[in-house]
Amino acid sequence: METLELLTTLTEASGPAGYEHAVTHIVADLWRPWADEIRVDAMGNLIAVQQGTGPQPRRAVMAAAHLDEIGLIVTGFDGEFLRVHSLGGVDRRVLLGLSVRVHSRREIPGVIGSRPPHVLPPSERQNVLPWHEVMIDVGLPAEEVRALVRVGDPVTIRQSTMALKNGRVAGKAMDNRASVAALTLALEALRHREHAWDFYAVATVQEEVGVKGAITSAYGISPTIAVALDVTFARQYNDSNPGVFELGKGPTIGVGPNFHPQMVKRLAEAAESDEIPIELEPLPGSSGTDAWGIQVAREGIPSGLISIPVRYMHQPVETVALVDIERAGRLLAGFVCGLEHGYTPRWEDEV
Amino acid sequence: MDLALLEKLTQTYGPSGYEDAIRAVIGSAIEAVADETRVDPLGSLIGYRRGQGGAHDGKRVILAAHMDEIGLIITHVEEKGFLRFTSIGGVRAAHCIGTRATFANGITGPIYVERRDDASKLPELQHLYLDIGCADRASCPVRVGDTATFVGPLMQRGSRLISKALDDRIGCYVLIEVMRRLDNSAHDVYFAFTTQEEITLSGARTAAYRIEPDIAISVDVTATGDVPKALPMEVSLGQGPAVKVKDGGMIAHPHVRDRLVEAAERAGAPYQMEVLLGGTTDAAAMQLVRSGVPSGCLSIPCRYVHSPSEMVDQGDVEHAIEVLLSLLRETL
């Protein structure tokens, strides 16, 4: 499958935090041809295993990309309208004018609007709506809305993924389906390449509400080392912050207390030997990614992070460069192939 | 309702980390209705009921209610005998002024606020003090690190119950009643009366680690949207227990949530769906134990949570008991 088609399939699917199952099915179908074993754990994490070629006992490397996207959740009713709140870190400034899917017993289309500018007092025109005034209109009268929709039903944004010029793609849920796409490419590449270690590809759940799937899947798999794949901030208009990275210039490799220095070193070496451009991304505390949950699972798991730059994060027009996704997949595959039998990251080697 | 039991549960001292007295009260209440009881290393009391279903039909289920309550901890004794304190759990200064706090040994005094130049702003805990009637530091029997809880006797107004510590002694009450009435469940049920929920959810976390359950359900209080100028929330007192969908710390597992809904419908009990914007329960910790535990929560709607006068409805409590009994009678 071409990367654009893969990314479109993944990003257009609906899977907000806690309700990822529809996307899990899609990814399971994509991964099954490349996996020796595939399963879903108690939290809903999708786990694909590729056995390594090294002698037993073999070590295991886990790669995690979160499957969930941010969304909304129905919190109540106001007449014919649905009151909602955020499921994950939703940017309330971009809600007006959206089309949405309300995932009730069956899916119901809806829109989010507000009073028109003509009738708004000037003082209110500049304001972002508070949550208790964000309403979804599904077109039904009040009593029918209450019969169809329950408090707690999840809501996702309806958005088609669109190819821009120059290999760039815009849509919702690039955070983090871009990484799921990269992980899919790595899984496919590793099927055709020899790797000594067992490889666990994990599409994790509930990252957006506290890296929860990463915490439990790392415990269950108990890998020797792990790499998380996530998105990072790409340079965009009016943004001169130092912590942003150019689109199309390759993925980043996280550096900081969340990451074992040998994971950073080996990822950088893998990039160099496969001539993949990367940038080092300093993350001085929590990376806010699955790597944060994985690092402290069980007795501690040396972890690394590969990030794909994205513009307009947590807005429905998140924009990525396809080449960054492909390079992230190649980087991960090269890193896994480079893990020699018997290798253990040791702090003693750092001193 | 067994109001004598509820009175004992709500009035017994037990801030987070100091649950000895309340554990003894619950221990004697469940002794006759548990196959086994044990106290785990962090102090949670586990009452076990063996299931009849065997390995195939029977699941390992935790029902958790926390026995700790919010409280105060003394940080400083002033020269003139006034006690300064900080909170154990989510204590808000505005709820404290003019109320009374009591120590484990029964010493009790009013909480008041120092005079401030700008009284238009809400006070913070650092502006409050506890006055137990001491003339000076030397004669003060209270030391730094001593803990206290609110004074708030149990009273009944029609179907409503008012007391301190209904968060979450009402959950403990529900669990005890379920233990008393439960017969013939296929499931191995662990009734966990947990510690330290109000500060870190620690008791539930470690209890669940040891028990390794298939399913975990907390029974705790939730806020309501039915008081003047409340933030919109679709939960009201007296409309039945609430099946949690999401709170500040957890999205309930859809399977567990649906089983609770079905159990309520089977029992003919009214119920409400709950999305709580802030706060969480033991279920959030149990969910992440080991490789993950499908978790949910059945909530008792409660007004004035974390004040000395929390209020619940007896009908909601009774229906919560019925929902849990109905749940445990079926396949999970």
Side-chain angles (χ1 to χ4, degrees):
Chain A
M1 200 185 280
E2 291 297 316
T3 309
L4 174 60
E5 189 189 347
L6 174 64
L7 186 64
T8 303
T9 302
L10 290 171
T11 49
E12 288 187 351
S14 299
Y19 307 88
E20 297 88 352
H21 40 271
V23 195
T24 311
H25 285 296
I26 292 170
V27 178
D29 287 343
L30 288 167
W31 286 5
R32 201 167 282 113
W34 319 119
D36 293 318
E37 185 197 328
I38 197 155
R39 64 173 188 264
V40 176
D41 74 7
M43 282 291 284
N45 298 298
L46 177 72
I47 301 169
V49 191
Q50 269 181 359
Q51 269 137 31
T53 55
Q56 293 282 10
R58 272 196 302 272
R59 297 197 169 144
V61 52
M62 163 177 167
H66 74 83
L67 196 56
D68 56 316
E69 66 188 286
I70 56 172
L72 304 169
I73 185 165
V74 176
T75 58
F77 306 90
D78 194 334
E80 64 192 279
F81 304 104
L82 303 176
R83 182 176 285 125
V84 290
H85 210 278
S86 65
L87 202 50
V90 168
D91 187 345
R92 219 165 62 225
R93 296 173 304 157
V94 298
L95 287 177
L96 291 184
L98 287 186
S99 314
V100 297
R101 303 172 200 274
V102 181
H103 301 274
S104 298
R105 285 176 192 113
R106 56 190 174 80
E107 188 183 304
I108 305 167
V111 295
I112 302 175
S114 77
R115 285 190 294 158
H118 322 59
V119 303
L120 277 182
S123 60
E124 282 184 40
R125 273 179 219 167
Q126 310 302 322
N127 295 350
V128 179
L129 282 188
W131 275 113
H132 62 267
E133 289 179 25
V134 176
M135 295 288 162
I136 293 178
D137 181 354
V138 296
L140 287 169
E143 55 284 6
E144 286 184 48
V145 167
R146 279 177 180 267
L148 277 179
V149 180
R150 274 195 316 187
V151 167
D153 285 346
V155 177
T156 53
I157 292 159
R158 180 196 282 276
Q159 171 76 304
S160 23
T161 298
M162 175 168 68
L164 304 177
K165 296 294 183 194
N166 194 25
R168 295 182 179 184
V169 186
K172 74 166 178 72
M174 293 295 168
D175 174 7
N176 188 32
R177 310 275 165 73
S179 297
V180 177
L183 185 50
T184 307
L185 295 174
L187 201 62
E188 181 178 356
L190 286 167
R191 179 88 293 183
H192 306 296
R193 293 174 67 178
E194 188 161 310
H195 49 95
W197 287 37
D198 289 337
F199 177 58
Y200 286 78
V202 187
T204 56
V205 296
Q206 299 196 33
E207 190 271 352
E208 297 288 1
V209 292
V211 302
K212 296 194 166 197
I215 292 169
T216 60
S217 60
Y219 184 96
I221 293 166
S222 191
T224 313
I225 61 173
V227 177
L229 292 93
D230 211 326
V231 293
T232 187
F233 304 103
R235 191 174 305 284
Q236 59 190 65
Y237 173 71
N238 208 10
D239 187 352
S240 55
N241 286 320
V244 298
F245 301 89
E246 296 295 336
L247 274 188
K249 297 277 174 67
T252 69
I253 294 172
V255 190
N258 192 177
F259 313 110
H260 195 291
Q262 286 193 28
M263 295 298 98
V264 178
K265 188 161 159 253
R266 283 193 167 238
L267 283 166
E269 284 168 0
E272 194 177 351
S273 75
D274 286 345
E275 297 181 352
I276 298 166
I278 55 108
E279 282 196 75
L280 289 179
E281 178 176 3
L283 292 158
S286 165
S287 64
T289 69
D290 279 350
W292 190 243
I294 296 168
Q295 184 187 30
V296 293
R298 293 193 178 247
E299 70 260 38
I301 298 169
S303 300
L305 175 67
I306 299 172
S307 295
I308 297 165
V310 56
R311 285 183 178 168
Y312 322 123
M313 201 184 292
H314 285 203
Q315 299 178 0
V317 291
E318 292 178 330
T319 298
V320 295
L322 289 173
V323 67
D324 291 336
I325 294 173
E326 288 162 353
R327 285 166 172 164
R330 279 173 50 217
L331 172 58
L332 177 64
F335 168 82
V336 171
C337 291
L339 295 167
E340 66 276 17
H341 180 70
Y343 164 66
T344 309
R346 297 191 315 164
W347 284 102
E348 295 89 308
D349 298 339
E350 296 300 313
V351 294
Chain B
M1 273 188 76
D2 184 348
L3 290 182
L5 173 64
L6 186 64
E7 172 144 44
K8 224 190 267 178
L9 290 172
T10 54
Q11 299 307 303
T12 301
Y13 181 85
S16 308
Y18 303 88
E19 296 93 349
D20 290 354
I22 182 64
R23 181 171 51 244
V25 166
I26 297 172
S28 59
I30 67 170
E31 209 170 14
V33 288
D35 293 326
E36 267 173 50
T37 61
R38 69 162 184 254
V39 178
D40 78 7
L42 285 199
S44 295
L45 172 68
I46 317 293
Y48 170 62
R49 286 288 294 272
R50 191 171 296 108
Q52 316 296 318
H56 184 65
D57 296 323
K59 292 268 168 63
R60 294 161 72 83
V61 182
I62 291 187
L63 295 183
H66 67 88
M67 56 184 176
D68 61 313
E69 63 185 305
I70 56 168
L72 314 173
I73 184 163
I74 303 305
T75 54
H76 176 65
V77 182
E78 292 193 350
E79 200 56 54
K80 291 188 171 170
F82 297 108
L83 308 175
R84 298 290 184 159
F85 56 83
T86 186
S87 63
I88 294 177
V91 174
R92 285 184 280 274
H95 290 166
C96 295
I97 300 164
T99 66
R100 295 175 189 188
T102 189
F103 292 86
N105 59 9
I107 292 176
T108 301
I111 301 171
Y112 213 69
V113 60
E114 63 191 27
R115 195 191 61 77
R116 290 165 304 137
D117 293 335
D118 181 4
S120 65
K121 286 200 192 112
L122 277 176
E124 294 170 27
L125 287 175
Q126 66 194 25
H127 302 122
L128 308 188
Y129 57 88
L130 178 55
D131 182 353
I132 56 165
C134 291
D136 53 33
R137 186 190 288 155
S139 66
C140 181
V142 171
R143 290 193 311 176
V144 168
D146 286 355
T147 55
T149 62
F150 285 136
V151 173
L154 177 69
M155 49 190 276
Q156 189 181 2
R157 294 290 307 156
S159 69
R160 314 296 206 205
L161 298 167
I162 302 154
S163 175
K164 79 162 178 87
L166 283 168
D167 175 7
D168 184 29
R169 305 286 166 73
I170 197 66
C172 297
Y173 177 88
V174 168
L175 259 57
I176 293 167
E177 277 298 319
V178 171
M179 289 184 85
R180 285 173 170 176
R181 299 187 211 173
L182 181 66
D183 50 15
N184 262 337
S185 174
H187 310 293
D188 282 336
V189 190
Y190 295 82
F191 295 86
F193 301 89
T194 60
T195 55
Q196 302 193 30
E197 191 271 354
E198 294 292 0
I199 52 168
T200 52
L201 316 174
S202 301
R205 193 188 318 273
T206 56
Y209 187 92
R210 172 127 166 211
I211 292 166
E212 287 195 69
D214 298 309
I215 286 179
I217 294 170
S218 63
V219 181
D220 207 334
V221 297
T222 191
T224 66
D226 62 352
V227 292
K229 292 199 175 177
L231 274 179
M233 183 175 177
E234 293 286 311
V235 173
S236 303
L237 226 55
Q239 302 296 306
V243 176
K244 192 182 295 286
V245 182
K246 180 186 184 294
D247 64 23
M250 178 193 70
I251 297 165
H253 194 292
H255 175 85
V256 179
R257 179 201 66 201
D258 291 348
R259 293 296 87 74
L260 282 165
V261 166
E262 288 162 14
E265 286 175 353
R266 262 198 318 271
Y271 67 95
Q272 318 178 62
M273 302 305 286
E274 172 203 345
V275 176
L276 178 68
L277 298 183
T280 195
T281 74
D282 277 343
M286 298 193 288
Q287 177 190 44
L288 297 184
V289 160
R290 295 186 186 254
S291 52
V293 181
S295 299
C297 172
L298 188 66
S299 298
I300 311 295
C302 181
R303 291 180 185 163
Y304 324 124
V305 173
H306 286 196
S307 82
S309 299
E310 298 174 329
M311 180 190 283
V312 300
D313 185 87
Q314 291 189 60
D316 295 341
V317 177
E318 184 55 38
H319 290 306
I321 296 163
E322 288 163 12
V323 170
L324 292 171
L325 286 166
S326 162
L327 178 89
L328 294 173
R329 283 190 198 111
E330 296 293 324
T331 311
L332 288 172

